[in-house]
Amino acid sequence: MADITRRLGWRHLRGAPTAHIRHHRSGELVHDGTGLSFWYRALHAALSEIPVDDRELAMTFHARTSDFQDVTVQATVTYRISDPALAAARLDFSVSPDTGVWRGAPLEQLGTLLTETAQQHALAVLARTPLAAALADGVAAVRERVAEGLAAEPRLPATGIEVVAVRVVALRPEPEVERALRTPAREQIQQEADRATYERRAVAVERERAIAENELASQIELARREEQLVEQRGTNARREAEEHAAADAVRAEAEASRTVRLADAEAARAVRLARAEAEAAREVGEARAEAQAAWLRVHGDVDVATLHALTGTRLAENLPHIESVTVSPDVLTGLLSKLAGREEA
């Protein structure tokens, strides 16, 4: 849309580089070109703005194949206005001199023309094509036929329109039909996936078997080495036991020899001790006998009174401690009588 500025009854228009501006004043063409900038009076000006850039027109329409299946076609047509003067003469590209807005809808008219023309040629192709072929090769066929039909359409050059490119984005059947058509492919894909899964499982089983065999071989080798280890340990234990037994025998023999020697020494010492004790006992007995004999000889020469005195002395030595003695008159009289009789004698 052109940029229009107001100044005291005058208007200034500044166009874009992609917009062709045509300015008529009182029926005469005053300005004609792209990217123009000029002053004008709104009461005397007739302005047209024709876009000359490439434009994309997306279209979607329904068609029916030869086997009576509905399909949806999605396509895009790229076009441009190659002759702005001719397009401005055939279509209403006039704009308001005050706002620069199109008075009509020229681009919608162009879109309707292109869509209907493209749809007509696409329907002609799909009406003679079965659904399976349309889905397989229909995109290229529809694109070629639509491009040829638009190029041969006489109204487009007469309107100043040039078709740049035609693209068919998709060609789809009804959702139910599409699901039905996808089923065999899905089944085949599922079968391939199952086969790949089975192969993967088989490879995994084979690998697990190889791993199990390796583990079993390792266990067998480990058991064999453990057996060798046990055998070697038994041999070592037997050898150690034999060495311990020999050492114990040597120690026992030495201990027995030492015990015998100690026993002999103890016996000899006991014999000598017994002999010494017997000799001492004999000597003690002889000494006691000699002492007793001497004692008897000594006492034999002593009178009876002395012996009685000695006897009393010994008896007094062996009696317990006596604090006091009471002598009755009778006893004292008897003793004095005896003493007096001995003195007289």
Side-chain angles (χ1 to χ4, degrees):
M1 185 177 66
D3 184 12
I4 296 178
T5 305
R6 300 180 181 183
R7 292 289 186 276
L8 299 176
W10 288 86
R11 305 289 185 271
H12 182 270
L13 183 144
R14 183 175 58 188
T18 58
H20 189 94
I21 303 297
R22 292 174 62 85
H23 175 210
H24 291 79
R25 185 175 57 197
S26 300
E28 296 181 1
L29 183 62
V30 180
H31 298 93
D32 186 15
T34 59
L36 298 180
S37 180
F38 54 87
W39 290 90
Y40 65 92
R41 286 185 175 275
L43 295 176
H44 304 90
L47 301 175
S48 298
E49 182 181 7
I50 305 95
V52 294
D53 56 339
D54 292 349
R55 292 184 172 262
E56 302 284 343
L57 177 62
M59 58 186 69
T60 301
F61 51 87
H62 296 276
R64 179 168 293 181
T65 61
S66 61
D67 48 0
F68 303 102
Q69 298 296 325
D70 292 334
V71 294
T72 301
V73 180
Q74 296 178 358
T76 301
V77 175
T78 304
Y79 69 95
R80 72 167 66 97
I81 298 176
S82 58
D83 191 345
L86 185 58
R90 301 297 299 272
L91 298 174
D92 185 12
F93 283 96
S94 62
V95 297
S96 172
D98 293 326
T99 61
V101 178
W102 277 319
R103 298 179 183 274
L107 296 182
E108 293 181 3
Q109 295 177 6
L110 283 178
T112 302
L113 175 61
L114 293 172
T115 300
E116 291 178 353
T117 304
Q119 184 176 1
Q120 177 183 356
H121 295 287
L123 292 176
V125 174
L126 293 175
R128 299 191 301 269
T129 306
L131 178 62
L135 294 177
D137 303 322
V139 172
V142 170
R143 182 179 65 250
E144 292 176 359
R145 181 59 182 273
V146 170
E148 293 175 357
L150 291 176
E153 179 64 30
R155 188 179 174 185
L156 296 179
T159 314
I161 306 300
E162 179 185 357
V163 176
V164 178
V166 176
R167 298 188 303 276
V168 177
V169 180
L171 197 152
R172 293 181 177 275
E174 294 294 325
E176 296 80 3
V177 177
E178 187 174 7
R179 283 194 294 269
L181 293 175
R182 287 179 178 177
T183 300
R186 288 182 176 178
E187 292 293 335
Q188 184 178 1
I189 294 173
Q190 186 63 39
Q191 292 177 1
E192 293 293 331
D194 294 340
R195 184 173 61 82
T197 302
Y198 296 149
E199 291 178 356
R200 185 170 62 254
R201 289 180 179 176
V203 172
V205 170
E206 183 66 21
R207 291 180 179 177
E208 290 179 357
R209 184 185 64 79
I211 293 174
E213 291 180 354
N214 293 333
E215 291 180 352
L216 181 60
S218 300
Q219 292 178 0
I220 293 173
E221 180 65 20
L222 181 60
R224 185 180 64 81
R225 293 186 179 181
E226 287 181 353
E227 182 180 1
Q228 293 178 355
L229 179 60
V230 170
E231 183 179 358
Q232 185 63 36
R233 286 179 177 176
T235 302
N236 295 338
R238 287 193 299 272
R239 185 178 302 170
E240 185 177 359
E242 291 175 356
E243 293 178 356
H244 288 171
D248 292 340
V250 172
R251 286 195 298 270
E253 184 177 358
E255 186 67 23
S257 178
R258 188 175 65 84
T259 304
V260 169
R261 289 195 302 270
L262 291 176
D264 293 342
E266 290 292 334
R269 187 173 63 182
V271 170
R272 289 194 301 271
L273 181 61
R275 288 178 181 177
E277 290 179 353
E279 184 67 23
R282 185 180 60 78
E283 291 178 357
V284 170
E286 290 178 355
R288 287 180 178 178
E290 290 179 359
Q292 188 69 27
W295 185 80
L296 291 175
R297 286 194 301 268
V298 170
H299 285 78
D301 296 336
V302 178
D303 55 358
V304 177
T306 303
L307 292 176
H308 288 170
L310 291 173
T311 301
T313 303
R314 292 291 180 88
L315 180 60
E317 291 177 356
N318 294 323
L319 289 175
H321 180 69
I322 299 173
E323 295 292 336
S324 62
V325 177
T326 304
V327 179
S328 64
D330 296 334
V331 175
L332 182 59
T333 302
L335 289 175
L336 292 176
S337 297
K338 289 180 180 181
L339 290 174
R342 289 179 181 178
E343 290 180 353
E344 290 179 353

